[in-house]
Amino acid sequence: MKKMTIDQVATAAGVSKSTVSRYLNGNFQKMSDSTRERIQATIRDLNYHPNRQAQTLKTKKTGLIGVVVADMANLYSAKMISGAGKVARVHQYQLLIMDSNNSFEQEHESLRQLQDQSLEGLIIQPMSRKSTDYQEIIGELPTVFVDRVTDSNQWPFVGVDNYEATRHLGSLIAKRGYQRILIISEPIDVSQARFDRVRGVKEIARRNKIQCELLEITESVPPEIRHEIKQKIGTLTQNQEPAVIFASNSRLLMQVMQLINDLQLRIPADIGLCGFDDWHWTALTNPPIASIEQDAVGVGQAAMTTVINQLERPDQVVKDQIIASTLNVRASI
Amino acid sequence: MKKMTIDQVATAAGVSKSTVSRYLNGNFQKMSDSTRERIQATIRDLNYHPNRQAQTLKTKKTGLIGVVVADMANLYSAKMISGAGKVARVHQYQLLIMDSNNSFEQEHESLRQLQDQSLEGLIIQPMSRKSTDYQEIIGELPTVFVDRVTDSNQWPFVGVDNYEATRHLGSLIAKRGYQRILIISEPIDVSQARFDRVRGVKEIARRNKIQCELLEITESVPPEIRHEIKQKIGTLTQNQEPAVIFASNSRLLMQVMQLINDLQLRIPADIGLCGFDDWHWTALTNPPIASIEQDAVGVGQAAMTTVINQLERPDQVVKDQIIASTLNVRASI
DNA sequence: TTGTAAGCGTTATCAC
DNA sequence: GTGATAACGCTTACAA
């Protein structure tokens, strides 16, 4: 399959390359049916495909939208991409995907690489909440931030309202009569989302005079040796007051559940359990675990729609979009 | 941030664009230190980034590798991409990702779109097992098939040995003394992987004179109304002989488990359960479920390594790679 | 209705 | 050491 050029098609069809180009771009208005058919046939025969790079060089339209996710191997990121991809497909854009691997340095490196790909738009699940980390590198590029807000509203945001969602969950906890809450989260200072999840629960706890404690866990500690959590859980259950654990993401929820099982504690008799993120396995445990389900696919769709809108109607004002999350009430609480 | 060109840099630095180009491509051999530093400074000051499309037009190197996955929202695909991305990153390639959404038509469409992006390589988790479906569209492009084999060995394959893995699982079933096996799978005729998973269990069943039945489920039927499965399970447990269910992927395993819970059956007392794919929630149920864990990240890494090898050493013979899978033995069986 | 020619931003082959 | 200059494959006025 040799690389065909527009010139070869032109020669083969006995026309000039301008005519072929017109054909390619659908400018049939003034073109005789005969030449059009001839060109069509030649293109098919020669299996010709226009060279995108050459086209782009002229038109400045790459049709490429960058997507930078925090962690590709995480279902949230994957589903978000899936949603974004569905929308991109119908608008004929392609996704250039970069994985930050939960590292700020890798994210920066990804953005630098994307920078000279002449993207037309960008969707990013940012590692930093500081907008200054993105200002120069993003520049004028139509961009949407997903999942995690930054300290500025110069770019539209699409994601769930973590504060609202966890307040909702907090109310359920209060209604169930729990007296103590242990929140287990990854470090909250680097992510507004984590911070808000904690804040929502704490707020309701405060109002209801429920004792509430936060345990921050760094990712790097292997799950097996999470003594701190075990100890906390121990203390919690020694007390007479009913206690509940809230794990602020899916991975932590898994780990906590494992520890509770190891400790042979019964849920919710000995301790209640609930979490954030719900990839449906939570419905299958015994008992099923109450948790907040995010519509990651919906987030991706909304984000991509927003980017493409910016592209097609640059004058239109864009605004943040909050995608509803669902509290799946289950027997663990 | 205006778009800078090599010409502007040249003028600003007081040299010709040839010299700037040499600088960009690291040809410092014959370049005075002074001009090199001058160019370096100007590039920094002007925040210049070379235009990839123009470079590509000359050099024919896009640095783009296409990845076509069956379903982005599926953890296998996501992890595979994650692995592929890690390898691509160190070799300075970028991923152009397409999602087939489990549809052969969409896959074909994706491949057509990728075709004129001048990819340098391709990784595909194919929807079809017929190599003729890919021959013309892939052409000479260095390609690796992952997860699912085709009926030809013209392209290297990377994935697990489904037959071997399920034989292994079959042996465990036999050792546990089960007399009846119900295999639940999506239609096996379209995917060699599905076929092999069923074949492995059946083979061991045959050898051990265990009665074995296959139930094929099409994806489109909503999980709630899976009467057929419920009925089968009912029949299975009415019988005195110990029976076990093997669900041939993660989604089916979830659904089956839900049905078993709905039917109030005890695992493994009333019925055994095991599955294929293991995203770790299987360890958290009560009882934990035995299942086969695939190293999807490893598959992606191996696939990308193979593609890049083909690119850098075209003469080298490439061969299939089987990535080991793990049988997680747990109490459900 | 179609062709000519300039130009998009690079790289690479020559000269000097 | 450095600078003209001709490609690369396409689009798009402007001519015809």
Side-chain angles (χ1 to χ4, degrees), chain B residues 279-292:
Chain B
W279 311 125
H280 303 297
W281 60 267
T282 37
L284 297 172
T285 52
N286 184 14
I289 304 166
S291 72
I292 294 164

Side-chain angles (χ1 to χ4, degrees), chain A residues 15-248:
Chain A
V15 294
S16 79
K17 54 183 192 166
S18 342
T19 311
V20 179
S21 177
R22 283 188 201 102
Y23 172 88
L24 290 175
N25 294 285
N27 298 332
F28 306 128
Q29 313 93 347
K30 13 178 112 179
M31 188 183 304
S32 70
D33 288 359
S34 70
T35 56
R36 193 190 38 186
E37 281 154 20
R38 201 139 30 87
I39 294 176
Q40 185 174 37
T42 334
I43 286 183
R44 189 174 14 75
D45 293 352
L46 272 59
N47 187 28
Y48 164 73
H49 290 267
N51 177 317
R52 281 287 277 245
Q53 278 71 33
Q55 287 180 309
T56 296
L57 191 55
K58 270 310 272 186
T59 61
K60 313 283 177 221
K61 309 211 83 249
T62 55
L64 250 32
I65 291 178
V67 182
V68 181
V69 297
D71 178 14
M72 186 75 242
N74 179 316
L75 218 34
Y76 182 95
S77 297
K79 287 188 181 241
M80 196 273 286
I81 293 177
S82 170
K86 285 198 211 321
V87 177
R89 168 186 297 272
V90 320
H91 292 264
Q92 304 259 57
Y93 286 96
Q94 323 231 270
L95 301 188
L96 212 43
I97 291 181
M98 299 298 251
D99 184 354
S100 304
N101 281 302
N102 284 320
S103 141
F104 178 70
E105 287 69 34
Q106 281 202 32
E107 174 185 69
H108 194 76
E109 171 62 17
S110 298
L111 285 172
R112 278 206 352 79
Q113 295 207 29
L114 287 180
Q115 203 171 176
D116 35 52
Q117 287 283 3
S118 321
L119 298 181
E120 294 191 42
L122 180 67
I123 292 176
I124 181 169
Q125 181 185 13
M127 298 307 301
S128 160
R129 73 214 290 183
K130 297 215 307 277
S131 56
T132 48
D133 287 330
Y134 302 104
Q135 243 136 15
E136 0 74 58
I137 200 146
I138 288 181
E140 298 292 292
L141 190 64
T143 299
V144 173
F145 279 66
V146 296
D147 190 27
R148 307 162 178 192
V149 299
T150 61
D151 56 17
S152 134
N153 58 356
Q154 62 186 296
W155 299 289
F157 165 78
V158 177
V160 310
D161 185 336
N162 290 286
Y163 176 63
E164 184 58 31
T166 50
R167 273 168 53 95
H168 196 163
L169 176 59
S171 304
L172 179 63
I173 291 176
K175 189 157 43 157
R176 292 279 193 266
Y178 285 103
Q179 296 297 315
R180 305 169 130 248
I181 304 177
L182 173 61
I183 302 175
I184 298 184
S185 170
E186 283 165 358
I188 63 173
D189 58 327
V190 291
S191 153
Q192 185 70 38
R194 290 178 193 163
F195 182 81
D196 286 342
R197 289 179 191 181
V198 172
R199 189 163 61 95
V201 173
K202 275 196 169 165
E203 161 69 10
I204 300 294
R206 194 181 53 69
R207 283 211 204 161
N208 291 273
K209 311 228 187 303
I210 301 175
Q211 199 190 321
C212 186
E213 191 178 353
L214 168 65
L215 180 61
E216 284 179 90
I217 299 290
T218 70
E219 253 184 276
S220 49
V221 182
E224 311 82 77
I225 50 167
R226 290 275 163 92
H227 305 297
E228 354 156 37
I229 311 189
K230 272 200 180 174
Q231 279 175 0
K232 284 279 179 216
I233 298 179
T235 335
L236 223 51
T237 48
Q238 272 154 23
N239 202 299
Q240 292 303 0
E241 301 162 337
V244 62
I245 297 180
F246 165 62
S248 85

Side-chain angles (χ1 to χ4, degrees), chain B residues 15-16 18-19 22 31-32 35 58 60:
Chain B
V15 293
S16 79
S18 327
T19 311
R22 283 189 199 100
M31 187 182 307
S32 68
T35 55
K58 271 311 275 190
K60 312 284 174 221

